[in-house]
Amino acid sequence: IISQCSCLNQLCGFLPLQGHVVRNWKVRWFVLLQDKLLYYKIEGGKKEPSPKGRILLDGCTITCPCLEYENRPLLIKLKTKTNTDYFLECCSREERDSWALDITGAIHAGHPVQVQELHRMKNSFKLLENISLHNIVERMYDSSTGIKLTRNLDQGNRYKETFTGSALVDWLISNSFAVSRFEAVTLASMLMDENFIRPVGVRSTEATRSSDPSEKFLDDSTALYMFAESSKKNTSSKEEVHFNISELSGTIVKQGFLVKQGHKRKNWKVRKFVLRADPGFLHYYDPTKEDNKPVGGFSLRGCLVSALEDNGVPAGVKGNVQGNLFKIITKNDIHYYIQASSKAERVQWIEAIKPLT
């Protein structure tokens, strides 16, 4: 979904991005400025205040359409002056072409970047390509070759099944996921950022508050970490979601990225929504996955859809969300809470859904 940020009339919206260090896909909130493309992480339904990263457009080359990935036909490829490749995925050809046009304009109109920032990028390290964080975690769990879990004491508290920061760094290097302690610390920080591992105890928890990303994970024998609960769930077998072919055969009326609250776990995730008519169904997809299969969906017959007020947090909504919420109640009384990027986008989705209910 593309929208104009109201403050400075900037182009902004959700786009899946392939990491240029670790080759996995994450959805980020992008903001196009005159000389750079900023991207932000969405946490708990709210955009984080500081950018997760930036793509400097001075000297950048753009490839559109980009056909390097068979399962992702709507890509834009950006190659920076320092030969770093970024792949951005769009929801539709119209969205892709709109982003490509504006980015191309910014590349040609951009100001020269600061010398020290270019120097920093040129000297930044690169991890081995095609590293999968899921693969690392699965290897960490291996009973014979994985990381050893022990009981540890911290400030009088006893923690079960923990490992130290230095033990994880040693393990990553010995298993050839990194070639230096600096790279291993960065990789461990990524595992923590993506909620595969979490800090426990005073020392490691306080380090996560550091403003310097390189100091958030500690290569230290007194800093304790453990597997996050969500990562254990990720490695277990999931119940397959099956959909009738007929419900996926309808005409696509509207599609785009929206933030959805899980109707069971109540956490917020960016999903690609596809609205179909004849029959009327709303399906949602995980845009970080390769298989392009819905992870959920429901018939719109008998549904109720309505906007939610932005003053305060409505009943049923968890987390610190940014507003522009609407709710869909299915015929079976399941409540879906969905967040658009703007009031205008919310109105568009509601108006598109209502005739199909």
Side-chain angles (χ1 to χ4, degrees):
I1 290 298
I2 299 176
S3 65
Q4 295 291 334
C5 294
S6 57
C7 51
L8 294 173
N9 202 34
Q10 302 155 338
L11 187 71
C12 52
F14 288 116
L15 294 171
L17 167 72
Q18 187 190 59
H20 60 280
V21 178
V22 179
R23 300 293 185 182
N24 55 351
W25 293 85
K26 294 292 177 186
V27 180
R28 298 294 183 234
W29 178 259
F30 280 83
V31 177
L32 178 61
L33 303 180
Q34 187 177 22
D35 60 348
K36 64 178 75 73
L37 192 58
L38 303 180
Y39 53 93
Y40 296 78
K41 187 177 179 180
I42 302 295
E43 193 66 45
K46 189 173 184 179
K47 183 189 78 175
E48 292 192 339
S50 300
K52 181 78 175 175
R54 66 191 67 205
I55 303 172
L56 302 176
L57 297 178
D58 179 52
C60 223
T61 58
I62 182 169
T63 304
C64 180
C66 172
L67 304 177
E68 292 190 25
Y69 289 86
E70 184 178 352
N71 293 335
R72 296 179 182 270
L74 299 175
L75 288 179
I76 296 171
K77 178 182 178 181
L78 296 175
K79 182 183 282 291
T80 68
K81 185 186 280 186
T82 55
N83 289 321
T84 302
D85 292 339
Y86 292 87
F87 294 91
L88 286 62
E89 185 178 30
C90 300
C91 252
S92 65
R93 282 174 174 79
E94 293 77 14
E95 183 186 62
R96 180 196 64 189
D97 294 345
S98 178
W99 271 105
L101 183 65
D102 281 41
I103 291 172
T104 302
I107 289 172
H108 292 306
H111 299 297
V113 297
Q114 297 294 326
V115 174
Q116 60 266 31
E117 192 162 12
L118 256 181
H119 181 74
R120 178 185 60 79
M121 289 185 67
K122 286 178 180 177
N123 289 284
S124 65
F125 76 96
K126 290 189 178 181
L127 293 171
L128 298 173
E129 290 193 2
N130 300 319
I131 287 180
S132 163
L133 295 183
H134 288 277
N135 180 43
I136 292 175
V137 174
E138 286 179 6
R139 292 274 297 275
M140 288 173 69
Y141 271 117
D142 189 281
S143 57
S144 57
T145 61
I147 193 162
K148 304 304 178 189
L149 303 176
T150 58
R151 294 172 179 263
N152 280 288
L153 283 170
D154 181 271
Q155 303 269 320
N157 296 314
R158 182 181 293 275
Y159 297 99
K160 296 179 181 179
E161 297 188 326
T162 61
F163 47 86
T164 66
S166 56
L168 178 54
V169 169
D170 291 340
W171 185 88
L172 289 169
I173 294 173
S174 65
N175 284 272
S176 302
F177 289 115
V179 297
S180 69
R181 300 194 79 81
F182 178 67
E183 291 184 8
V185 166
T186 303
L187 191 51
S189 300
M190 292 177 180
L191 291 171
M192 192 164 61
D193 284 344
E194 302 303 335
N195 200 32
F196 288 109
I197 64 173
R198 65 182 180 88
V200 289
V202 175
R203 191 124 199 281
S204 56
T205 303
E206 285 183 348
T208 62
R209 301 189 182 100
S210 171
S211 59
D212 186 346
S214 65
E215 297 177 359
K216 290 187 176 182
F217 181 89
L218 299 177
D219 178 9
D220 193 299
S221 60
T222 63
L224 302 181
Y225 299 88
M226 67 188 304
F227 289 113
E229 186 180 1
S230 60
S231 65
K232 287 189 177 181
K233 292 179 179 176
N234 285 337
T235 57
S236 63
S237 61
K238 291 185 177 180
E239 182 182 351
E240 287 289 329
V241 182
H242 296 284
F243 296 93
N244 192 308
I245 293 175
S246 64
E247 69 184 70
L248 296 169
S249 64
T251 304
I252 294 178
V253 177
K254 187 174 179 60
Q255 56 185 327
F257 295 112
L258 299 166
V259 189
K260 173 187 167 293
Q261 179 179 267
H263 56 280
K264 292 181 180 178
R265 290 187 61 200
K266 308 301 182 187
N267 55 343
W268 291 88
K269 297 288 185 182
V270 178
R271 294 290 181 247
K272 176 184 175 180
F273 279 81
V274 177
L275 178 64
R276 292 180 172 91
D278 301 319
F281 273 84
L282 186 62
H283 293 99
Y284 48 95
Y285 300 72
D286 184 344
T288 67
K289 304 300 183 187
E290 297 288 344
D291 56 14
N292 198 33
K293 294 178 181 177
V295 294
F298 50 90
S299 169
L300 291 171
R301 181 173 294 178
C303 283
L304 297 174
V305 57
S306 60
L308 298 177
E309 295 297 328
D310 287 340
N311 51 340
V313 180
V317 173
K318 304 292 183 183
N320 187 16
V321 296
Q322 294 186 150
N324 305 315
L325 292 163
F326 62 99
K327 177 170 70 171
I328 301 175
I329 305 175
T330 69
K331 188 168 62 175
N332 298 326
D333 199 36
I334 298 175
H335 293 223
Y336 290 87
Y337 295 94
I338 301 169
Q339 184 178 186
S341 61
S342 65
K343 286 184 171 62
E345 185 188 39
R346 175 173 64 180
V347 170
Q348 291 168 9
W349 274 98
I350 292 174
E351 289 182 348
I353 290 169
K354 273 186 176 179
L356 304 177
T357 61

